[in-house]
Amino acid sequence: MDSNNLVHFESIFVFCEVVIISCTIYDVARKAGVSIATVSRVLNNSELVSEKTKQKVKMAIEELNYTPNIIASALTKKSTLTIGLLIPDISNPFYSELSRGVEDACNDFGFNTVICNTDYCIQKETAYINLLRQKSVDGFVITTAHYNDENVINLAKDKVPLVLLDRNIDKSSGYDIDVVCSDNVTSGYLATNHLIQLGHKSIACFLGPPQIEVNIERARGYVKAIKEACLKIVPELVAYGDFKLDFGYKKTLELLNRGLRPTAFFAANDLIALGIIRALKSVGFSVPADISVVGCDNTILAELTDPQLTTINQPIREMGYYATELLIKKLKGERSKSEKIIFNTELVVRKSTSVCKKIGVIN
């Protein structure tokens, strides 16, 4: 991680601590003419304080513009009411929507969210986790985990509450880890089978990073559909990269320049699919008249592109909310047993796929 980013992140917390102690609970108690314990009870919505006293304390808080000291509260309650959210890239609409679900849940349950972008970099992930632990966050929602992620395993060994969101690691069942994801095998199967039902026999599959289980599972769904249809799996048509538009664009041109001409593409996310469409159009192909394209995620971009993208829908915001609710309930002691929740996915047919008119040529 860039040292400047760490310094900036540290300064945010330092600034908060300085501001918070400018007016203390002692000042509030003195202003209201009550004890510190009474002020604390009011802040914690205790029923042991009369309504008249509550109003006096609340008025003093308002006049003094008092904000409870989060750090001091953490020392007494062993909680900062803060959750660390690790995502690969918030500029990806999928993670923006996922983050919104996490933030909505935090807001509903009285928690705060600190969002960190890792850019799929394990070193940045490590640095952010260490920093957030130093700042005593209560738990983590992690969407960046690789298949064998030592950071996640170390957190679990240290009994730090965490939820893996849209990710899983090898042998996660052996640790106290909650997992919330969608049915990625079915996603890959539904997308590929849709193309097969349209008569396509030469189908390329563009995936994200190979060390992430999401891609392994979507590839498994792709292979399952191909085998069920008794079609040939062509290794040259399967490519791993990242979840970005540029990968879809460059890889498609590379494929075509090598003389490989599939009649359809299945992309592991909508951004890759948009890159594929852009590349196809740049060399004169029409989508879907010449080549069909299916994406995955059903982000807002799927309806905005031309043609509108056929894609796999997963309940992104709902997944983010549910994962955070699981974590908060564990933090509150309302649940103890870890769970693995798998959300269903479905095919959304739009305008980027059509009946195959030609046989794919592979030279």
Side-chain angles (χ1 to χ4, degrees):
M1 178 190 292
D2 191 330
S3 59
N4 291 331
N5 289 338
L6 275 174
V7 171
H8 174 67
F9 194 62
E10 290 272 13
S11 67
I12 293 174
F13 280 94
V14 173
F15 174 77
C16 289
E17 291 172 20
V18 171
V19 172
I20 287 169
I21 63 175
S22 62
C23 173
T24 70
I25 193 171
Y26 296 95
D27 299 315
V28 175
R30 190 179 302 112
K31 179 79 173 177
V34 299
S35 68
I36 298 169
T38 298
V39 176
S40 180
R41 291 191 186 99
V42 173
L43 291 171
N44 288 289
N45 298 315
S46 173
E47 297 180 358
L48 300 176
V49 184
S50 68
E51 189 61 35
K52 182 178 179 180
T53 302
K54 283 183 181 179
Q55 292 306 317
K56 284 170 60 179
V57 173
K58 289 179 180 180
M59 187 175 296
I61 289 172
E62 185 175 343
E63 290 179 6
L64 294 172
N65 195 27
Y66 170 71
T67 304
N69 188 332
I70 296 174
I71 305 302
S73 176
L75 293 175
T76 57
K77 296 182 179 180
K78 298 183 180 179
S79 173
T80 57
L81 296 179
T82 304
I83 288 173
L85 170 62
L86 270 63
I87 59 175
D89 181 11
I90 202 167
S91 66
N92 182 327
F94 174 82
Y95 292 109
S96 299
E97 189 76 3
L98 207 64
S99 299
R100 184 54 191 263
V102 172
E103 188 178 15
D104 286 348
C106 281
N107 183 65
D108 288 348
F109 288 96
F111 277 69
N112 301 300
T113 316
V114 177
I115 302 176
C116 302
N117 289 272
T118 68
D119 297 314
Y120 298 100
C121 174
I122 197 69
Q123 289 77 20
K124 289 186 74 173
E125 179 184 283
T126 303
Y128 274 130
I129 287 175
N130 291 338
L131 182 57
L132 291 172
R133 291 191 70 179
Q134 290 172 22
K135 297 305 175 182
S136 301
V137 298
D138 296 328
F140 289 86
V141 175
I142 298 178
T143 73
T144 58
H146 294 178
Y147 194 65
N148 294 298
D149 198 311
E150 288 297 322
N151 287 321
V152 174
I153 293 173
N154 289 335
L155 286 172
K157 286 181 177 179
D158 290 345
K159 300 190 183 303
V160 176
L162 67 96
V163 178
L164 295 180
L165 175 57
D166 190 51
R167 289 290 186 271
N168 201 356
I169 63 169
D170 187 28
K171 300 178 182 177
S172 61
S173 58
Y175 300 96
D176 185 18
I177 299 174
D178 289 303
V179 179
V180 175
C181 56
S182 63
D183 189 343
N184 290 297
V185 175
T186 296
S187 294
Y189 178 85
L190 288 175
T192 309
N193 188 61
H194 169 65
L195 294 169
I196 291 171
Q197 295 303 312
L198 291 173
H200 295 279
K201 297 181 179 180
S202 178
I203 304 170
C205 178
F206 284 6
L207 302 153
Q211 68 271 29
I212 294 176
E213 189 181 49
V214 165
N215 294 292
I216 297 171
E217 292 182 341
R218 289 178 184 172
R220 194 178 299 150
Y222 164 81
V223 170
K224 179 183 177 183
I226 294 290
K227 286 186 174 180
E228 278 189 6
C230 298
L231 299 176
K232 181 181 178 182
I233 296 174
V234 182
E236 292 84 359
L237 295 183
V238 179
Y240 289 89
D242 56 38
F243 285 121
K244 297 184 179 181
L245 185 148
D246 199 45
F247 163 64
Y249 178 79
K250 290 181 178 179
K251 200 64 184 179
T252 300
L253 293 181
E254 178 186 320
L255 205 68
L256 297 175
N257 288 335
R258 289 168 56 196
L260 300 172
R261 166 70 193 284
T263 63
F265 286 79
F266 162 52
N269 81 337
D270 291 346
L271 281 176
I272 296 175
L274 297 189
I276 293 170
I277 292 174
R278 178 185 169 198
L280 292 173
K281 286 184 175 181
S282 73
V283 293
F285 287 113
S286 174
V287 177
D290 297 320
I291 299 177
S292 292
V293 179
V294 179
C296 194
D297 290 341
N298 196 27
T299 60
I300 190 172
L301 295 178
E303 292 187 272
L304 299 179
T305 189
D306 181 25
Q308 291 186 330
L309 184 65
T310 295
T311 187
I312 301 296
N313 179 68
Q314 53 179 326
I316 305 172
R317 189 177 296 197
E318 184 181 350
M319 288 166 57
Y321 191 102
Y322 193 84
T324 309
E325 185 177 1
L326 279 180
L327 177 60
I328 292 174
K329 285 184 176 180
K330 180 168 282 189
L331 292 171
K332 290 183 174 182
E334 297 175 7
R335 51 182 296 273
S336 56
K337 187 178 179 181
S338 295
E339 300 178 51
K340 182 176 182 180
I341 309 298
I342 302 176
F343 282 79
N344 292 327
T345 60
E346 61 182 353
L347 177 72
V348 179
V349 180
R350 294 195 178 97
K351 303 294 184 180
S352 66
T353 54
S354 68
V355 174
C356 181
K357 299 181 178 63
K358 298 179 181 178
I359 298 176
V361 177
I362 303 175
N363 296 325

